[in-house]
Amino acid sequence: MDPVLIGRWQFGITTVYHFWMVPLTLGLGMLVAILQTLYHRTGDEVYLRSTKFFGKLFLINFIMGVATGLVQEFQFGMAWSEYSRFVGDVFGAPLAMEALLAFFLESTFLGLWIFGWGRLPRGVHLASLWCAVIGSWISAYFIIVANSWMQHPVGVEMVDGRPVMTDVWAVLSNNTAIAAYTHTLFGAVAVGASFLLGISWYHLYRRRKDGIDTIAADGELVVGSAPDLPGRDKLDHRVWIRSLRIGAVVGIVAFAGVAITGDVQAKLMFEQQPMKMASAEGACHDGTGFSVLTVGDPSSNDCDGVENVFEIPGLLSFLAKGDFSTPVHGVTTLLPEYQERYGTHLPDDPRYGEHAGEKIDYQPIMIVTYWGFRFMIGFGMIAAGVCAIGLWLTRRGTVPDSKWLMRGALLSITTPFIANSAGWVFTEMGRQPFVVAPNPAQLDGVYMFTQAALSPEVTPAMLLFSLISLTAVYGALMIVELRLLTGYVRGGVASAMPELARVNHTPKITGDDDVLSFAY
Amino acid sequence: METLATIWFVLIIVLWMGYLFLDGFDLGVGMLMPLFSRDERQKRVLLNSIGPVWDGNEVWLVTAAGATFAAFPHWYASLFSALYVPLTLCLLALIFRAVAIEYRGKGHTPAWRSFWTWAMALGSLGIAFFVGALLAITSTGLPLNEYGDMVGGAFAWIGWPALLGGLGGVGFALVHGLLYLGLKTEGPMRAKARRWALRAMLPASVPFLIWFWLAGLTRFWLLAVVAVSVVFLTASVRAVRAGAEKRAFTFHVIYLVTGLSAVFAAVYPVILPSTLNPAHSLTVTSASSSEYTLGVMFVVTVIFLPIIIGYQIFSYRMFLGRLRETHIPEAHRLPVAIRS
């Protein structure tokens, strides 16, 4: 078996999995911090309840992000040691900065937040959560700086065959990184927003189905309470409708941010990695049209077999260059340019293992880039559409009494996740055959083919061992996490605030005997 | 260049020491989960004693690895790819330990709790073993070829250093966890931690002591450092006997710091020896990043490490005080799903 392929599968699986936890941490963390800030400022118990409820879900997810993040940091050295040696001078720095500036902040203050209810002064407790959330946002910045350097290397010069950092500010302010960072953050906020919307919808629906909330003959909503169900009082209704509407508004704003930053990023990428964008567009030949549907067999990577059935004239030029007429180069134009600049065959060097001397295929797998790009945009639009529809349908203060709509709302939680994953798969696989893509403007020699990046003495058996064991453990933990999340979601606010299950509860944040003070 | 690289070598060893000093007791408490505690309430005392701080402690490991990548890419690449199999196991252990701490209390059947208790114990054991082994191996070396890659297959790292370091790591963490519990608990658990520590301390420290001693033999002045280390270990034992828990814990840390200093001073300027040919060994200069990168990272570290230490101390101060079983509230049961 080809060790490069196994190594890539492992990196792909572990990274996509890790990036299911991460956007929820980034997005939901911010929303929980906003909810707690609202509680701090208004004293309204609605926000205390939503903070505790969504905070609990946030923590269940957060720990999985931490656990799977360690794998990310270790596997560069374990499986991709040649890559680590080649890029270490510039790539290691943002990773170390991430740990120093972000991870310590995030984990120390999250510990303070979890255990600090009623123990820390309220302002300090709230600030702890903000520190943790800001820490997670800083960590996203540094890891995207590292990734963007692989997409578009800057700030280095070649010394003895390796890029050496000469300008750390150029690396940190890489325009690719700024565009990708803002794009990723808005995408993460969209994930958190859909999460709020879907789960709140579910509870509002349950309240209607259980006959707690009813619609009177004049169309007015009558909010009731069910004393026998823990936490199902009148306030409970406000918790969900408020969370739902916050989620919907934030989701729409986030989508606008995603679209704007995505446009900036796409324009950069047309310049920096033209082949990636050409194959994302199914653009075999130069032209201006944006493909809405391409048939034939894009998977063959054979331009003769690909036909654009329907395209919007001018749109591609607009996306790439900002006008409707400049033709965008297609694959057939770009291929000879790449071959001329970076060679037609891999060097006949033992470091390339069995791939030495192979012909280089500069065109990424078109079916992945083409559909990855469209899934990203399509599912992002669905997520935003659900938010808009959700705002309209809940204008009377609750959700329609429809099981299918409730199911749709819950299912829509997955859409921004899919958009996020599709976007990353597109941009990472679109970078192939390079692990470090060349910067077309400068920096001759600063690029690396993926085939040269693997650890030379690591065997396919070792790679398979880690691939299989990590995938199996990840799969099992996914089931555990989803079951825990489902259990806590079903229980409603009372699952995070057991005092609501007691008769005649008084809302309070207490000291020593509070459950969250001894969270475990 | 050499000065900066040496500073970075020292910093990375300090990060590893910080990791063992801090997460060491989390790992010890984790290993103690199934056997030390009599009942569920005591298990939860153990869990909550490290609850607010363990995640921050683990970041010392992340930082040690990240700083190694940044400052010594060749060290990071050679060591991590050579230890492919043990590090895979270590990662699995890290995953289970982390998830166990967070998820154990979120389910309510005895099977669920016992599964995560054991996941935490075995996870902690695995981490302590493999981190100890990694540190010992990086001081004694690996069969590296001229490219810095380990030859001889997936298991060529196995040998007495791996065993010594691994067992030493487990022993250190176990004792460190007991000393921490002595500081952090009240009542019968505190007394029990002291009894167990007294019994475990000397035998559990033997592997590390052998490792330190062998390093000390290389140079006369290092022998003096190792002697200091031994003195502090004995002083720590005596402090436990006298019931001076703070002193015992502090001395145990000094024992570790002096011992590891001797070990890594003995190999310097080599940072990863090749057992095949000394010419293939990685040294502080041959494995390091450029002076510019080392300088940038040094400035970042000098600014942020004190801040980090500052807020970690703040975090520890917030959770100062001993836990007793009566502090632990009733297990919080998830309400039955709200459905009609």
Side-chain angles (χ1 to χ4, degrees), chain A residues 498 515, chain B residues 40-41 44 105 107-108 113 328-334:
Chain A
V515 176
Chain B
E40 175 61 18
R41 209 174 269 273
R44 290 180 59 207
H108 304 282
R113 297 210 159 182
I328 300 296
E330 280 304 312
H332 160 202
R333 299 191 70 87
L334 211 52

Side-chain angles (χ1 to χ4, degrees), chain A residues 58 62 66 96-114 127-140 142, chain B residues 52-53 55-60 62-63 304-305 307-312 314-315:
Chain A
F58 167 77
F62 176 83
V66 171
M97 290 183 199
E98 183 184 21
L100 282 166
L101 273 69
F103 288 153
F104 275 119
L105 194 69
E106 187 181 13
S107 43
T108 307
F109 282 96
L110 197 66
L112 277 162
W113 185 70
I114 300 173
S128 298
L129 180 57
W130 275 111
C131 283
V133 170
I134 290 167
S136 73
W137 284 40
I138 298 174
S139 97
F142 282 111
Chain B
V53 293
D55 193 13
N57 296 342
E58 193 185 76
V59 180
W60 286 82
V62 180
T63 311
F304 283 94
L305 201 58
I307 298 177
I308 291 162
I309 292 172
Y311 62 63
Q312 286 212 330
F314 169 74
S315 158

